[in-house]
Amino acid sequence: MNADADPLLSHQHALQALRDALERRLGELLPAGRESDVVARAMREATLAPGKRIRPLLMLLAASDLGASDRDPALLDLACTVEMIHAASLILDDIPCMDDAQLRRGRPTLHRQFGESVAILAAVALLSRAYAVAAEAPGLPGEQRAAAVTTLARAVGLQGLVQGQFLDVSEGSGARSVEAILATNELKTSVLFGATLELAALATGADARATEALSNFAQELGQAFQLIDDLADGVSGTGKDLHQDAGKSTLVATLGERAVRERLAEHLARADAHLAAACPEGEHTRHFIAAWFTQQLDLIG
């Protein structure tokens, strides 16, 4: 069948082309170096291991829906910075003093492959590399590059991933209110989605209305994403440890699976409405998100 004659097939081909472009650029931005450069190899392993690439794809698709070319070199590089930061966060989440995970993306976690010290250094180096790539994004004015670095740094720090992981480690095993769990989920997940979409808005010169709608979309998406992750705990085929949330105060443990599925549907409906408001002329991002969550729900059953 001709891909151009089937919108779904055409969309899948376009999505795969974006994945391929991301993989190539990530490989270029994270060169292997010498055989003795163990940290560089660990950085590549953590970032280039087969993954969903949800955040960089989301950024490129949102930028396209905002009217930009998804092959713009600056956009591609900014998308890669998001994936580097995500990979760094996973390395740190997995180490023994945090979640002590054994599997990530179907492979042994980085500290199991390279040792804990190398894993930590690789995570720090990935964060540093991400900021440098954003600061040098080709074709963007200096003010936009500086704003991109600030956006990424805020997402990582005490306003985002670091604080979210601290709350999860320090409070996750105790009884928590629904509000406390939601606050942790926002910091662990929504904030990086927010930074991803803020970069898309920044690089495309989106107006205040679209930028705010994208921010609202990111908040709902992050909560939905975390609920899917909680529901998938104990499901085989995810590439992660089974029952990693055992003993944690997740929303599934607190409210039950049925209530969480209802909340998930509500988050997705609100996310879609915000996305439609942000990108009224584009549908690529909406199709991507809808298809991804449908696939995950099919996996969970």
Side-chain angles (χ1 to χ4, degrees), residues 58-118:
L58 180 64
M59 198 203 111
L60 293 174
L61 292 170
S64 176
D65 283 340
L66 289 167
S69 167
D70 55 25
R71 298 306 180 89
D72 183 298
L75 286 172
L76 192 59
D77 276 11
L78 290 178
C80 288
T81 68
V82 172
E83 187 66 7
M84 289 179 201
I85 285 176
H86 178 55
S89 74
L90 297 182
I91 296 171
L92 295 175
D93 285 357
D94 288 342
I95 59 177
C97 66
M98 298 289 184
D99 292 344
D100 194 17
Q102 303 300 300
L103 285 175
R104 175 67 68 177
R105 294 175 171 174
R107 302 186 185 192
T109 45
L110 205 72
H111 65 270
R112 289 184 62 206
Q113 294 185 56
F114 293 90
E116 191 171 356
S117 60
V118 171

Side-chain angles (χ1 to χ4, degrees), residues 16 19 23 26 43-54 56-57 83 86-87 90 103-108 113 237-240:
Q16 187 57 51
R19 291 182 195 275
E23 299 298 329
L26 282 168
M43 291 167 69
R44 284 177 60 87
E45 170 62 26
T47 310
L48 296 173
K52 303 180 187 76
R53 310 290 185 239
I54 294 170
L57 286 172
E83 187 66 7
H86 178 55
L90 297 182
L103 285 175
R104 175 67 68 177
R105 294 175 171 174
R107 302 186 185 192
Q113 294 185 56
T238 63
K240 298 191 292 185

Side-chain angles (χ1 to χ4, degrees), residues 188-209:
K188 284 187 64 179
T189 310
S190 294
V191 168
L192 187 54
F193 278 123
T196 299
L197 291 157
E198 188 175 340
L199 291 180
L202 176 72
T204 58
D207 60 26
R209 177 198 59 78

